Amino acid sequence: MQATKKAADIFTKLDLKLMPDPSRTVIRPFGFAYPPAFQADRPPRAQAVADRIRALDPALRARMRALLEKPMRERHRNADQVFLRRFTEMRSEFGDPALDEDERLLVGAYFSQEYAFESAALFNPSIVRLPGTPLTADGGVRFALSLRGIGEGHISSVTLRTGEWGPGDRVVIDPPSPHGVPPRIERHHDDWVRLLCEDSRDLSETVIFPVLPSQRQGVEDLRLVTFTDDDGVESVIGTYTAFDGQTVRQELLRAVDLRTFEMRPLAGAMAGYKGMALFPRRIDGQFVMLGRQDSENIWLLRSDDLFTWESGTPIMAPKYPWEFVQLGNCGSPIELDEGWLVFTHGVGMVRSYCIGACLLDKADPSRVLARTQSPLLFPSAEQRGGYVPNVTYTCGALLHERRILLPYAIGDEYTAFAVADVDDILAVMTPA
């Protein structure tokens, strides 16, 4: 009889890494104003800059345009359109001057910046099956991968990849485009927007950077799930942490077609915290999430409204040394015949983050059936360093034919991959 594997041996680590790439940049809005004490009795600072540009000799403006044109067109396929769009967004700040296209483009460039969105880190991945794609000829699956990129100012954005898993342990990440393409932003209310990414020729070109005041310092830790509603309609939905530099709140990203995204805040007493993750379907007619509202335990939340979360109950507390400080989910639950498989993170000594798992009852997910006594993935000797040492973390896994593909972050710096059998994971759990 074959001996049961140890928890540390369940996952097979793949020889595949995604590292930060400072060469990938996106053009994003740039704004500036006078300090409040110096704003009275003077025109907006944006108008002052626009007036200086308009006052330039036309020949000098032409030379400036030529200097701008070459590097921007080399690094950005749609640079001209982005600058012209930025001019349109800013024109209310400095009137409606009669400028030709070249002049409008130059003004737009002054109110834009080139941003290396994944120059410092590329981590905390989440993964879903790529919508609308059948199995490959050899039985593999196509997937979409979200990653948290960190750039200048420690600002977090969402960057995306596509890839293929199978047959067996074969995982291939499609080469990312050299271009980062900013979305066109439609503001439908003070606190929600629609992002139109029709200029992206490839999913890896789409960059979702902070656009709302609540996100000023970052869009963090997107947890993706393919949600199937009662009418059978599937949607790719993600919850993420919006951080303005002082406070956090949960917001929701809904992918209409992977070229159009909606970003909306979540409301209610449970929404002002990190780490909420949506179940992939309703249970008893309600939307259900996991969270970490008290920064220590895993909570179960239910709501009749996807955007309002008023109440919840803690269902799982720290029990083992590797999770004594904190316990939370690592992405949305995965539905099995046996119940809901949830990957968890635990925080232990020297703020070390490890990944474990638990199994929730399928009909009543407030019931924890089993959990891992020891972590499945943890900072090893060769993976202990990084931007933030001693951290192993993920925001989601993918199930295919009783196998799990788990992308995970190391040291809050880069992303690695591992695979495991569901049966092996369940075998190392003990009854709760």
Side-chain angles (χ1 to χ4, degrees), residues 144-310:
L145 185 74
S146 72
L147 300 132
R148 178 178 168 185
I150 289 187
E152 176 191 352
H154 196 77
I155 295 173
S156 297
S157 303
V158 175
T159 179
L160 302 162
R161 300 285 194 278
T162 55
E164 186 175 308
W165 174 28
D169 293 347
R170 172 183 171 270
V171 177
V172 177
I173 304 297
D174 299 327
S177 169
H179 303 287
V181 179
R184 183 163 57 87
I185 303 166
E186 287 186 354
R187 299 183 183 274
H188 287 257
H189 201 270
D190 290 340
D191 58 1
W192 81 269
V193 295
R194 179 172 287 122
L195 307 178
L196 305 176
C197 307
E198 64 266 25
D199 293 337
S200 296
R201 296 179 182 174
D202 178 88
L203 191 60
S204 70
E205 293 190 345
T206 296
V207 183
I208 300 175
F209 48 74
V211 296
L212 294 170
S214 61
Q215 308 162 354
R216 186 175 294 109
Q217 196 62 30
V219 177
E220 301 179 357
D221 298 347
L222 179 66
R223 288 163 159 82
L224 292 175
V225 65
T226 300
F227 181 83
T228 305
D229 214 337
D230 290 345
D231 57 5
V233 174
E234 291 188 344
S235 303
V236 175
I237 295 176
T239 47
Y240 61 89
T241 298
F243 181 46
D244 67 4
Q246 294 183 315
T247 60
V248 300
R249 73 177 187 186
Q250 286 292 291
E251 297 182 352
L252 187 139
L253 179 79
R254 186 175 75 91
V256 177
D257 55 11
L258 295 187
R259 287 185 176 273
T260 303
F261 300 87
E262 294 177 352
M263 303 177 83
R264 299 177 183 239
L266 298 183
M270 297 288 105
Y273 306 93
K274 290 186 174 185
M276 291 170 64
L278 182 67
F279 278 66
R281 62 171 173 85
R282 297 182 194 235
I283 300 175
D284 295 330
Q286 290 186 303
F287 298 101
V288 187
M289 285 217 206
L290 295 177
R292 183 171 47 84
Q293 272 58 31
D294 62 359
S295 297
E296 182 179 54
N297 304 295
I298 294 179
W299 287 55
L300 187 79
L301 321 172
R302 301 176 187 266
S303 178
D304 296 323
D305 174 9
L306 180 59
F307 298 100
T308 305
W309 299 84
E310 291 289 1

Side-chain angles (χ1 to χ4, degrees), residues 354-377:
C354 301
I355 298 173
C358 67
L359 186 70
L360 307 181
D361 185 84
K362 187 179 289 193
D364 179 8
S366 67
R367 293 183 58 230
V368 182
L369 302 179
R371 61 195 290 183
T372 53
Q373 294 186 62
S374 301
L376 302 170
L377 289 169

Side-chain angles (χ1 to χ4, degrees), residues 22 97 104 117 213 235 294 302 311 343 346 357 359 404 415:
R104 295 198 303 272
F117 53 90
S235 303
D294 62 359
R302 301 176 187 266
S311 61
F343 288 99
L359 186 70
I404 291 289
T415 295

Side-chain angles (χ1 to χ4, degrees), residues 80-92:
D80 288 7
Q81 297 94 309
V82 173
F83 293 143
L84 291 172
R85 191 161 70 219
R86 185 62 178 146
F87 170 83
T88 300
E89 293 169 354
M90 292 296 298
R91 69 192 311 163
S92 63

